[in-house]
């Protein structure tokens, strides 16, 4: 257990469905991340939230909509996805995003949600 | 743009063998480097983090080294065990104002009993 919990662990959805992925951490971290892991590709950073504010959006299509209501929770809202969006979606957290006062920013990852779009 | 390469893509060894996994990167302006382990269909577990000012870090049977000038890091696993079977990923945090992690594709390690 890394302290970062993702639900659900598996999700199958049709292209017209709307679903949400949830991530929760109680590590006292201020930064939370969504990553996408597709077969035979490196992890791709999607979004970064630092102190509940979105600081990074790596040109992610609008059918992926993140939400960060507080520093402990992060959601990824999904709608009208495509089959190529099928992947493992990983949430991570770290103490900060950026390096105030030279702090180390070790990342802790959740177990991921395996998403299949049919 | 930082590129991270991990060689080999897959490695199979008998139990008890010492082994080295390699990670190379194109931009030496990094802040730190992390090695992660990922079991099939699971998330990532952080193994070791090396700051750019450090040369190596050790944890149990694992030793990670960093040579910024040559753009290389190695993860040494001593006396490998079947439970070490997993994918090992290296990731670099950029230097300057680039705080994002750039990942390699990983090395799939299989340790045979």
């Amino acid at each position: 257990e890394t302290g970062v919990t993702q639900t659900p662990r598996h999700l199958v959805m049709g292209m017209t469905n709307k679903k949400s992925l949830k991530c929760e951490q109680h590590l006292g971290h201020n930064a939370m991340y969504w990553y996408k892991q597709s077969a035979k590709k490196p992890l791709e950073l999607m979004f970064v939230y630092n102190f509940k504010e979105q600081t990074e959006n790596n040109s992610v299509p609008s059918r992926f909509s993140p939400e960060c209501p507080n520093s402990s929770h992060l959601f990824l809202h999904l709608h009208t996805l495509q089959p190529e969006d099928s992947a493992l979606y990983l949430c991570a957290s770290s103490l900060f995003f950026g390096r105030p006062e030279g702090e180390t920013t070790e990342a802790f990852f959740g177990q991921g949600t395996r998403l299949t779009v049919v | 743009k930082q590129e991270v390469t991990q060689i080999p893509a897959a490695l199979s060894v008998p139990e008890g063998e010492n082994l080295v996994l390699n990670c190379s990167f194109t931009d030496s302006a990094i802040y730190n480097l992390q090695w992660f382990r990922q079991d099939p269909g699971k998330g990532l577990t952080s193994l070791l983090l090396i700051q750019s000012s450090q040369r190596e870090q050790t944890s149990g049977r694992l030793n990670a080294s960093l040579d910024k000038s040559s753009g290389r890091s190695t993860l040494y696993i001593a006396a490998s065990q079947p439970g070490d079977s997993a994918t090992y990923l290296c990731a670099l945090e950029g230097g300057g104002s680039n705080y994002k992690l750039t990942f390699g594709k990983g090395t799939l390690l299989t340790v045979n009993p």
Side-chain angles (χ1 to χ4, degrees):
Chain A
E1 280 296 326
T2 62
V4 180
T5 303
Q6 289 187 243
T7 54
R9 293 293 309 278
H10 301 273
L11 178 63
V12 179
M13 61 185 289
M15 289 190 283
T16 59
N17 291 159
K18 289 184 179 180
K19 297 285 184 184
S20 296
L21 310 185
K22 180 182 176 182
C23 177
E24 187 173 351
Q25 59 88 11
H26 295 289
L27 300 170
H29 290 170
N30 301 292
M32 297 188 77
Y33 312 78
W34 281 116
Y35 285 86
K36 176 183 179 181
Q37 188 176 34
S38 304
K40 302 190 186 301
K41 287 187 178 181
L43 267 76
E44 302 169 60
L45 179 65
M46 301 174 71
F47 301 103
V48 180
Y49 278 81
N50 198 35
F51 292 93
K52 301 188 298 178
E53 298 295 322
Q54 186 181 127
T55 57
E56 295 281 334
N57 176 339
N58 266 7
S59 304
V60 180
S62 59
R63 58 186 183 268
F64 295 92
S65 175
E67 179 190 1
C68 188
N70 54 61
S71 292
S72 299
H73 294 85
L74 183 65
F75 295 89
L76 188 62
H77 304 300
L78 315 170
H79 64 97
T80 59
L81 295 191
Q82 304 298 312
E84 58 265 29
D85 296 322
S86 298
L88 182 67
Y89 288 85
L90 292 163
C91 172
S93 71
S94 64
L95 190 56
F96 303 106
F97 180 69
R99 293 184 283 271
E101 302 177 1
E103 292 280 347
T104 296
T105 54
E106 186 173 0
F108 294 82
F109 283 76
Q111 293 294 294
T113 295
R114 171 66 63 185
L115 174 67
T116 304
V117 181
V118 298
Chain B
K1 180 186 171 186
Q2 178 74 275
E3 292 184 7
V4 181
T5 303
Q6 291 188 246
I7 294 174
L11 179 64
S12 181
V13 300
E15 182 177 3
E17 191 162 298
N18 302 326
L19 59 100
V20 175
L21 306 180
N22 297 292
C23 173
S24 61
F25 46 95
T26 54
D27 185 350
S28 62
I30 66 170
Y31 186 73
N32 63 43
L33 183 148
Q34 269 187 273
W35 281 94
F36 293 90
R37 168 188 172 135
Q38 184 176 30
D39 292 293
K42 300 287 182 64
L44 279 63
T45 301
S46 180
L47 298 173
L48 291 163
L49 182 148
I50 310 178
Q51 300 279 18
S52 62
S53 58
Q54 298 174 321
R55 298 282 292 183
E56 64 178 328
Q57 283 285 336
T58 298
S59 176
R61 294 183 293 109
L62 305 179
N63 176 278
S65 69
L66 175 63
D67 184 342
K68 276 180 38 177
S69 61
S70 66
R72 292 183 181 179
S73 175
T74 62
L75 179 67
Y76 173 83
I77 302 177
S80 58
Q81 302 171 357
D84 295 329
S85 298
T87 297
Y88 291 81
L89 298 160
C90 74
L92 288 78
E93 180 175 334
S97 60
N98 179 12
Y99 310 119
K100 294 183 278 191
L101 288 178
T102 302
F103 283 82
K105 292 183 181 180
T107 294
L108 175 60
L109 172 66
T110 303
V111 180
N112 301 300

